[in-house]
């Protein structure tokens, strides 16, 4: 399995004159910008709905009675609890195994097992160097203005072949024949969870230290002071919070190889890699696995990788040669072709695990239908939204944490996700404010930075306040919502009064012309109604209002 990347030089194009997007390219550019402008508010609404659902769910769990499994409660008493009762506990004894049936690989002690697939693929890189020219554009009323545009452009294509964690469709490449990417994907990336994980909750385990774990394991053997329960696989659908993934390598007897020179050199700064080494004996069944039989996957090491070489059929090779002949690349031999690298279409994958020694869980108490044993399953609230995941309480955190601490941590995660979307909305408000400006006869792009900032904040606060009002209503955060509307209206008013006036005309036509300009459409596609600002209205005494 070769890991060295390969680079090839593609074709160079020179385009004399304006670099406008005409024809289908211009239409696609305009549609792409419209989709981006519409998608941001839709994503915001979905994010805020999910945040609202998660907040309601976590608040309900925080106010619910929770049974502590580490307080020495008897198993008979647990069987008498009503279904749906929240239970919480910290376990230092985890009996589990996660496996990938397609490769017949099973890792003991792993709550989650993640298969990371990589593909050998060509990637096309475009670089463009243009001059800046000026031209005169005219409006429908005969007025005109000067605008800058890109002209006399040189476009260069380059190609790099390397291992990537995603596939690339080469159909739209400039030279798809010479840089063809097979799209086979027999072993996609996937996460597996322990299907029959058993947790033991010892009395007082939340207050114990690492030195007490062995003593608690001895108590488990005698059966005193502990409660055992199965962990529903759905509890692990999001993995184990705060537990980093460890890379897996298979070596003889599972022993770690001696550290390299660079590992010893940089060991002063701490461990550079957290790797779990497993014995090669665990792979004794892999030659008979479906992945090995159907797609020839074998373990090659080199960092814990399983590898499958791509084999093209004769008809596929002939068709590819014909495509290279048509595009003129059949005899385009370069130095990069001599480098030992992977073949486009090759696939490799490795495994990572989450194998904590201490976990805290919070879910509802249920029973295994086959054995009637205790089982901890997620609890889902109904009727508070369409996001089932956000309405579910099924938490597994690494380490010892109280139920309240786990709920607060989940709330923090939910809030941070919402903040990221709000930050993206703020960036979206930059072009959105300029579109609203041209619709109202104002040109924010030619105004001062302070006026542009006022316009951006006006759009951002107003839209966010409107979404909060619709989703949260008047019962939650009424003061914050009112404040957002006030700030949005104030900033928007100041931006409107202080911005530069633009030509008069139909508002929807002005918006279309601005989108066309962003899409680099030709001037005849986006003729403005006028470049002459509309006259100011006079108020008694001769004063003017702009």
């Amino acid at each position: 399995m070769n890991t060295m990347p390969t680079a090839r030089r593609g074709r160079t194009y020179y385009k004399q004159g304006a670099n406008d997007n005409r024809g289908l390219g211009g239409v696609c550019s305009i549609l792409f910008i419209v989709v981006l402008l519409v998608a941001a508010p839709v994503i915001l609404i979905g994010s805020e709905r999910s945040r609202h659902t998660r907040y309601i769910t976590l608040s309900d769990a925080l106010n619910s009675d929770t049974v502590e499994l580490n307080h020495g409660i008897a198993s008979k008493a647990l069987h008498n609890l009503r279904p749906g009762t929240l239970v919480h506990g910290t376990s230092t004894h985890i009996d589990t195994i996660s496996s990938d049936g397609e490769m017949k690989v099973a890792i003991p002690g792993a709550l989650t097992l993640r298969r990371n697939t990589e593909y050998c693929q060509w990637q096309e890189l475009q670089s463009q160097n243009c001059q800046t020219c000026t031209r005169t554009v005219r409006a429908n009323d005969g007025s005109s203005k000067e605008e800058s545009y890109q002209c006399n452009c040189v476009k260069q294509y380059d190609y790099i072949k390397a291992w990537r964690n995603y596939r690339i469709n080469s159909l739209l490449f400039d030279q798809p024949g010479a840089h063809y990417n097979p799209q086979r994907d027999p072993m996609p990336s996937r996460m597996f969870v322990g299907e029959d994980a058993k947790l033991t909750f010892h009395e007082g385990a939340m207050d114990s230290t690492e030195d007490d774990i062995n003593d608690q394991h001895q108590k488990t053997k005698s059966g005193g002071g502990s409660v055992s329960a199965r962990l529903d696989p759905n509890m692990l659908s999001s993995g184990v919070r705060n537990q980093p993934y460890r890379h897996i390598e298979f070596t003889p007897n599972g022993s770690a190889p001696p550290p390299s020179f660079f590992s010893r050199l940089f060991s002063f700064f701490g461990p550079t890699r957290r790797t779990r080494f497993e014995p090669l004996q665990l792979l004794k069944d892999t030659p008979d696995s479906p992945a090995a039989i159907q797609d020839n996957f074998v373990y090659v090491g080199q960092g814990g990788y399983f590898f499958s070489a791509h084999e093209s059929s004769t008809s596929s090779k002939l068709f590819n040669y014909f495509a290279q002949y048509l595009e003129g690349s059949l005899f385009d031999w370069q130095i990069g072709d001599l480098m030992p690298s992977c073949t486009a279409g090759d696939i490799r994958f490795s495994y990572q695990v989450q194998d904590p020694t201490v976990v805290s869980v919070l879910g509802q108490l249920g029973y295994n239908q086959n054995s009637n044993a205790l089982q901890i399953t997620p609890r889902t609230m109904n009727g508070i939204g369409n996001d089932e995941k956000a309405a579910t309480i099924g938490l597994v955190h690494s380490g010892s944490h109280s139920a309240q601490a786990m709920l607060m941590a989940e709330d923090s995660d939910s809030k941070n996700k919402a903040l990221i979307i709000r930050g993206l909305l703020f960036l979206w408000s930059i072009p959105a404010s300029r579109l609203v400006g041209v619709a109202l006869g104002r040109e924010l792009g030619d105004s001062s930075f302070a006026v542009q900032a006022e316009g951006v904040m006006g759009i951002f606060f107003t839209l966010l306040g409107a979404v909060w009002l619709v989703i949260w209503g008047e019962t939650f955060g009424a003061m914050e919502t009112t404040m957002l509307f006030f700030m949005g209206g104030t900033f928007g008013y100041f931006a409107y009064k202080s911005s530069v006036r633009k030509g008069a005309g139909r508002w929807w036509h002005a918006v279309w012309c601005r989108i066309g300009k962003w899409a680099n459409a030709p001037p005849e596609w986006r003729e403005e109604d006028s470049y002459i600002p509309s006259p100011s209205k006079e108020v008694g005494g001769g004063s003017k209002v702009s």
Side-chain angles (χ1 to χ4, degrees):
M1 181 184 70
N2 294 314
T3 59
M4 181 181 295
T6 296
R8 300 185 82 253
R9 192 76 165 176
R11 292 188 285 203
T12 303
Y13 296 91
Y14 174 72
K15 183 179 181 181
Q16 188 175 10
N19 189 36
D20 296 331
N21 288 328
R22 298 177 178 272
L24 182 60
V27 173
C28 292
S29 298
I30 292 175
L31 290 177
F32 179 71
I33 293 177
V34 171
V35 169
L36 289 181
L37 292 171
V38 175
V42 174
I43 294 175
L44 174 69
I45 293 174
S47 173
E48 295 298 327
R49 284 187 179 276
S50 178
R51 168 62 183 153
H52 174 261
T53 301
R54 194 60 174 164
Y55 176 82
I56 298 298
T57 303
L58 295 174
S59 299
D60 177 78
L62 190 62
N63 296 323
S64 300
D65 294 331
T66 304
V67 177
E68 293 291 342
L69 300 178
N70 298 110
H71 287 178
I73 186 171
S75 298
K76 181 180 293 186
L78 290 175
H79 279 84
N80 295 330
L81 294 176
R82 61 182 178 85
T85 300
L86 282 178
V87 294
H88 166 266
T90 297
S91 174
T92 57
H93 185 86
I94 305 170
D95 183 12
T96 180
I97 185 170
S98 297
S99 60
D100 180 359
E102 295 176 278
M103 199 68 227
K104 290 189 176 181
V105 172
I107 307 299
L111 283 176
T112 65
L113 174 68
R114 187 165 66 183
R115 182 173 69 203
N116 299 318
T117 305
E118 300 177 28
Y119 312 87
C120 182
Q121 299 277 276
W122 286 102
Q123 182 178 18
E124 183 181 74
L125 304 177
Q126 297 183 25
S127 59
Q128 184 171 268
N129 186 19
C130 301
Q131 299 177 357
T132 301
C133 304
T134 58
R135 62 188 172 193
T136 301
V137 292
R138 298 188 178 277
N140 293 329
D141 65 349
S143 58
S144 62
K145 64 175 287 189
E146 295 289 325
E147 78 170 13
S148 300
Y149 67 101
Q150 293 181 338
C151 63
N152 304 330
C153 295
V154 178
K155 181 181 290 186
Q156 174 67 50
Y157 288 95
D158 294 287
Y159 298 89
I160 296 179
K161 182 175 62 175
W163 288 104
R164 312 181 190 282
N165 55 10
Y166 54 89
R167 293 174 295 165
I168 301 175
N169 194 328
S170 58
L171 182 62
L172 299 180
F173 282 3
D174 180 63
Q175 291 179 303
H179 310 95
Y180 170 63
N181 285 330
Q183 296 297 292
R184 72 184 189 112
D185 191 17
M187 297 285 282
S189 296
R190 183 180 171 187
M191 187 178 77
F192 307 90
V193 301
E195 295 293 336
D196 197 27
K198 180 181 178 182
L199 306 181
T200 302
F201 302 93
H202 302 282
E203 185 176 356
M206 288 187 59
D207 302 323
S208 63
T209 62
E210 295 291 337
D211 297 334
D212 300 327
I213 294 179
N214 293 331
D215 295 337
Q216 292 167 357
H217 287 180
Q218 294 298 326
K219 291 181 180 180
T220 301
K221 296 179 180 180
S222 62
S226 64
V227 174
S228 297
R230 299 290 180 181
L231 192 64
D232 189 279
N234 293 322
M235 293 281 291
L236 297 167
S237 60
S238 299
V240 182
R241 187 183 185 275
N242 283 343
Q243 177 64 30
Y245 277 93
R246 299 173 63 192
H247 190 75
I248 295 183
E249 291 188 26
F250 299 91
T251 59
N253 300 321
S255 58
S260 64
F261 169 76
F262 290 102
S263 297
R264 295 193 301 268
L265 182 63
F266 293 100
S267 61
F268 174 78
F269 301 99
T272 57
R273 190 176 185 183
R274 300 181 70 255
T275 303
R276 173 173 169 173
F277 295 95
E278 291 290 339
L280 282 171
Q281 289 81 351
L282 288 180
L283 303 181
K284 58 183 177 62
D285 295 329
T286 56
D288 299 325
S289 65
I293 296 174
Q294 300 172 11
D295 299 288
N296 299 319
F297 276 98
V298 294
Y299 182 71
V300 296
Q302 296 180 250
Y305 283 104
F306 295 78
F307 175 74
S308 171
H310 175 62
E311 298 179 1
S312 299
S313 62
T314 302
S315 58
S316 176
K317 291 180 180 179
L318 293 176
F319 182 80
N320 185 257
Y321 289 147
F322 180 68
Q324 294 181 39
Y325 170 76
L326 293 179
E327 68 188 18
S329 62
L330 183 59
F331 300 104
D332 181 21
W333 297 315
Q334 300 185 20
I335 296 179
D337 299 332
L338 304 177
M339 298 297 176
S341 65
C342 60
T343 301
D346 290 350
I347 298 177
R348 69 179 186 181
F349 65 83
S350 60
Y351 290 106
Q352 290 179 312
V353 293
Q354 286 183 311
D355 50 355
T357 56
V358 180
V359 293
S360 298
V361 298
L362 178 64
Q364 72 175 357
L365 192 64
Y367 301 98
N368 189 293
Q369 296 179 354
N370 298 326
S371 61
N372 199 32
L374 294 175
Q375 188 174 30
I376 302 176
T377 64
R379 186 182 77 171
T380 302
M381 291 186 64
N382 298 320
I384 60 170
N386 298 325
D387 191 344
E388 182 177 348
K389 185 176 180 180
T392 299
I393 295 293
L395 313 181
V396 181
H397 292 189
S398 176
S400 178
H401 307 281
S402 65
Q404 182 178 4
M406 295 177 67
L407 293 172
M408 296 301 292
E410 290 290 327
D411 182 69
S412 177
D413 292 344
S414 174
K415 186 183 298 182
N416 291 336
K417 291 179 182 178
L419 288 175
I420 293 175
I421 300 300
R422 293 168 192 171
L424 296 177
L425 177 73
F426 186 83
L427 297 178
W428 170 87
S429 299
I430 298 175
S433 63
R434 301 197 176 190
L435 281 183
V436 174
V438 298
L440 298 176
R442 295 294 189 271
E443 186 60 71
L444 287 177
D446 296 336
S447 304
S448 64
F449 176 78
V451 174
Q452 295 182 41
E454 290 172 348
V456 171
M457 289 186 288
I459 293 294
F460 173 73
F461 288 134
T462 301
L463 180 58
L464 186 59
V467 172
W468 281 8
L469 180 62
V470 172
I471 295 177
W472 293 86
E474 300 178 359
T475 56
F476 295 97
M479 181 178 297
E480 290 83 354
T481 303
T482 304
M483 184 62 68
L484 285 179
F485 273 118
F486 175 77
M487 295 173 63
T490 302
F491 282 121
Y493 174 78
F494 286 149
Y496 175 79
K497 298 297 293 183
S498 305
S499 57
V500 176
R501 298 179 61 84
K502 69 176 298 293
R506 298 161 293 178
W507 69 269
W508 58 267
H509 188 70
V511 171
W512 161 260
C513 292
R514 182 52 50 91
I515 294 177
K517 185 177 181 179
W518 290 343
N520 203 24
E524 58 268 22
W525 287 24
R526 49 182 177 84
E527 292 184 0
E528 298 271 5
D529 288 330
S530 177
Y531 290 118
I532 302 175
S534 57
S536 303
K537 297 180 181 179
E538 294 190 0
V539 184
S543 61
K544 297 182 179 181
V545 179
S546 60

